[in-house]
């Protein structure tokens, strides 16, 4: 692995994409935080071809995933955690994916980090991926 990365792959990325502002669920727009297709590929860019500007995804009012994503709140500090929001009935993106902070906290019950984690056997075979 080289600090400069793979020059050939970087050249392809530089050709196909350009940096742009992106809106992140629960956080909002972060300048220069995402990519879009570069002008050479504009004809294939759904954002250019279709009227998708202004489409936003809103979390339910009870969901505080934006604060969780920013490290301002631990998942179990959300009032909905483990009650109205579980991996089987997720209210926000961070509970939907098994990689999400809320789902991971729920699955491994790491409410008290001094206590060894115990996976929730009831979620074996869960549709959460
Ligand atoms: S526990 Fe559920 S409702 Fe609360 S922040 Fe996480 S995803 Fe949102």
């Amino acid at each position: 692995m080289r600090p400069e990365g793979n020059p050939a792959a970087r050249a392809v990325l530089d050709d196909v994409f350009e940096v742009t502002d992106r809106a992140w669920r629960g956080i909002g727009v972060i300048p220069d935080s995402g990519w879009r297709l570069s002008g050479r590929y504009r004809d294939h860019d759904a954002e250019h071809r279709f009227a998708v500007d202004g489409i936003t995804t809103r979390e339910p009012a009870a969901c505080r995933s934006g604060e969780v994503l920013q490290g301002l709140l631990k998942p179990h500090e959300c009032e909905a955690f483990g009650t109205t929001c579980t991996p089987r009935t997720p209210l926000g993106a961070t509970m939907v994916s098994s990689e999400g902070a809320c789902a991971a906290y729920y699955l491994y019950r790491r409410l008290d980090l001094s206590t060894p984690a115990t996976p929730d056997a009831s979620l074996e075979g869960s549709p959460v991926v």
Side-chain angles (χ1 to χ4, degrees), residues 29-110:
V29 174
I30 300 177
D32 295 339
S33 65
W35 280 345
R36 68 178 170 207
L37 291 175
S38 66
R40 278 172 52 94
Y41 300 93
R42 184 81 11 111
D43 290 346
H44 304 284
D45 187 347
E47 287 182 320
H48 179 72
R49 295 183 61 186
F50 305 105
V52 295
D53 274 352
I55 293 177
T56 57
T57 303
R58 290 199 191 117
E59 306 288 359
C63 181
R64 301 177 66 186
S65 61
E67 293 163 85
V68 170
L69 287 167
Q70 294 174 73
L72 302 172
L73 183 82
K74 292 191 186 307
H76 64 86
E77 295 170 341
C78 172
E79 287 185 20
F81 179 83
T83 57
T84 56
C85 183
T86 71
R88 294 187 192 280
T89 58
L91 294 180
T94 48
M95 187 63 94
V96 172
S97 164
S98 61
E99 296 115 26
C102 297
Y105 260 69
Y106 187 88
L107 183 61
Y108 295 104
R109 306 287 186 190
R110 305 232 19 189

Side-chain angles (χ1 to χ4, degrees), residues 10-18 36-41:
R10 292 188 65 171
V12 170
L13 290 172
D14 288 344
D15 177 51
V16 175
F17 296 105
E18 60 191 26
R36 68 178 170 207
L37 291 175
S38 66
R40 278 172 52 94
Y41 300 93

